Amino acid sequence: MKRQIEMAQLRRPPNRLTTAEYAMYKLENLSWEEKSAFLGANSGTAINSNNDLRAQYLTLDKLITYGILRFHQFPFPEIKAIGHPTRHFPGAVSLRSVDEVAAYLATQVEFPIFMKPIAGNAGAGSVWVEAFEDGMLRLRNGKTVAVKEYFERWLGKEGILLQVAARPHPDIALRFGPRLATARVVVLMSNSGPIVHRAVLRIPVGQNMIDNFQHGASGNLLGAIDIDTGIISNVIGKKGMGLETIPAHPDTGEQIIGCAVPDWQRAKEMCIAAAPLFPGIKYQSWDIAFTDEGPQTMEVNSGGDVDVLQLASGRGIADATWWKLMREPAPRNFLRRLLVRNGPWRQGA
């Protein structure tokens, strides 16, 4: 009965945890204080309710994001070309049609190259291209796709970025193989400045071209990062039907838990310096790659999935620091408002 009562409470704002999420986070044996710090995917604070909707366009469009970062001299993988009917970027080749894209790939590109949609999210459409032959993109995972098929899907819809495929930091390559691993760094904006709140390292496995976790379905791993030291304190991955601790990388055999993320302090400083460039976004999720040229900004998200942070660390994201800055929007319906739990997250608290 106690479990049912708790689950019913956690389904309400601000947590909005589903039964499946209660089980996924293994909340059964945690204290109520620990349980109530977890947020579900539908939580208002977890899906941008604290961000200015107008400001989110600064992060939804990668050309705008990279333009801001370029102006302020923050490093990111060089943009070699833009595939879009009308848009362009300083120093990049403008490709207006599928034929122009194909000609560019056949004659001007130094492979490998990384391609992703200008307005994509969750890794959709992102591909690492090893070569271009006979109209086909040969991808890092061994698959091929027709360039016409790929670009007709994305070119007119939102456009494509063609970027230099950054090389991993030697320490990353040693532990995880010759692939980038990026940190998701959550920055909260307070009146006195940005705060690095939580961080997780997304670790690629096998032939995966990107390091997105996708709730474990990708086969990649998540490593919880201690934000003060940069040391990875826990690593999880898919094992059977559930998620389990994975102390060593399955490809290299190298130990992951206990190792330090290279250039971590520089990465934190970069996030803190860049966060104020996106005013109106109180909850920022930065993706930072650890390359052989130092940390680089891959993108910044307005909000972001909280599951990767909570799964890796085993801790809910909504701690005391979170509720000092974030507020759950009040329900519009009067009856729903009566059912909402009291707490520090209430609007106006």
Side-chain angles (χ1 to χ4, degrees):
M1 179 63 73
K2 179 183 177 183
R3 183 174 185 270
Q4 279 70 36
I5 293 173
E6 286 185 344
M7 290 175 64
Q9 290 178 307
L10 292 171
R11 276 197 295 269
R12 294 188 288 176
N15 309 87
R16 290 191 171 95
L17 284 164
T18 65
T19 302
E21 287 173 325
Y22 187 97
M24 177 178 71
Y25 291 128
K26 301 179 181 178
L27 301 186
E28 181 76 29
N29 297 318
L30 300 184
S31 69
W32 172 250
E33 182 180 6
E34 292 170 324
K35 291 174 183 175
S36 60
F38 281 80
L39 299 181
N42 293 321
S43 169
T45 62
I47 53 174
N48 305 329
S49 66
N50 288 271
N51 293 335
D52 186 325
L53 293 177
R54 298 166 298 178
Q56 292 186 50
Y57 285 100
L58 299 176
T59 63
L60 291 174
D61 188 301
K62 292 181 177 61
L63 275 187
I64 295 175
T65 302
Y66 283 135
I68 294 170
L69 294 174
R70 184 178 188 269
F71 181 80
H72 291 276
Q73 299 182 328
F74 285 91
F76 55 84
E78 182 185 359
I79 299 174
K80 304 297 288 185
I82 299 294
H84 191 275
T86 59
R87 303 183 72 181
H88 64 278
F89 192 82
V93 177
S94 296
L95 306 171
R96 304 306 188 195
S97 67
V98 174
D99 290 341
E100 288 186 16
V101 170
Y104 176 78
L105 291 171
T107 61
Q108 298 185 51
V109 170
E110 181 179 343
F111 291 98
I113 195 164
F114 194 78
M115 305 194 309
K116 62 186 179 185
I118 290 173
N121 58 58
S126 297
V127 292
W128 178 298
V129 182
E130 294 281 5
F132 176 64
E133 301 163 345
D134 300 323
M136 304 294 290
L137 301 171
R138 181 160 58 81
L139 309 183
R140 184 170 195 163
N141 61 7
K143 298 180 180 179
T144 59
V145 61
V147 68
K148 181 178 176 65
E149 175 187 340
Y150 179 80
F151 276 90
E152 282 187 345
R153 179 178 180 184
W154 299 105
L155 191 63
K157 181 180 179 183
E158 56 194 48
I160 287 288
L161 293 172
L162 292 84
Q163 293 180 281
V164 168
R167 297 181 299 270
H169 186 282
D171 289 353
I172 295 290
L174 173 67
R175 294 189 184 277
F176 312 143
R179 297 158 298 201
L180 286 180
T182 63
R184 168 61 58 91
V185 183
V186 171
V187 178
L188 305 180
M189 294 299 297
S190 72
N191 291 335
S192 57
I195 299 169
V196 174
H197 183 56
R198 296 285 177 89
V200 62
L201 188 67
R202 301 181 298 192
I203 302 168
V205 170
Q207 296 299 311
N208 289 334
M209 294 183 290
I210 56 177
D211 56 13
N212 289 57
F213 189 62
Q214 299 172 343
H215 310 291
S218 67
N220 290 330
L221 309 178
L222 292 176
I225 302 174
D226 182 285
I227 59 172
D228 293 323
T229 64
I231 292 175
I232 299 174
S233 59
N234 186 50
V235 178
I236 64 161
K238 188 86 170 181
K239 193 171 184 181
M241 298 299 292
L243 299 172
E244 301 292 343
T245 298
I246 311 289
H249 196 281
D251 298 338
T252 65
E254 292 287 332
Q255 185 76 13
I256 306 175
I257 295 176
C259 74
V261 177
D263 294 327
W264 174 243
Q265 296 303 323
R266 288 175 60 192
K268 277 205 312 183
E269 291 166 4
M270 182 183 298
C271 292
I272 290 171
L277 303 179
F278 298 87
I281 304 177
K282 291 184 67 175
Y283 170 23
Q284 303 181 13
S285 296
W286 286 86
D287 290 344
I288 305 296
F290 300 93
T291 79
D292 60 355
E293 297 179 350
Q296 296 190 1
T297 53
M298 304 303 282
E299 61 182 69
V300 57
N301 299 281
S302 174
D305 294 337
V306 296
D307 63 335
V308 294
L309 298 144
Q310 297 181 146
L311 284 169
S313 65
R315 295 186 297 131
I317 195 171
D319 57 12
T321 299
W322 179 273
W323 291 127
K324 284 180 181 177
L325 303 172
M326 301 293 146
R327 290 294 181 266
E328 172 79 8
R332 295 181 181 179
N333 182 285
F334 176 73
L335 291 177
R336 289 178 62 85
R337 194 174 301 179
L338 292 178
L339 293 173
V340 169
R341 294 207 324 271
N342 292 320
W345 52 271
R346 292 293 297 276
Q347 285 279 19

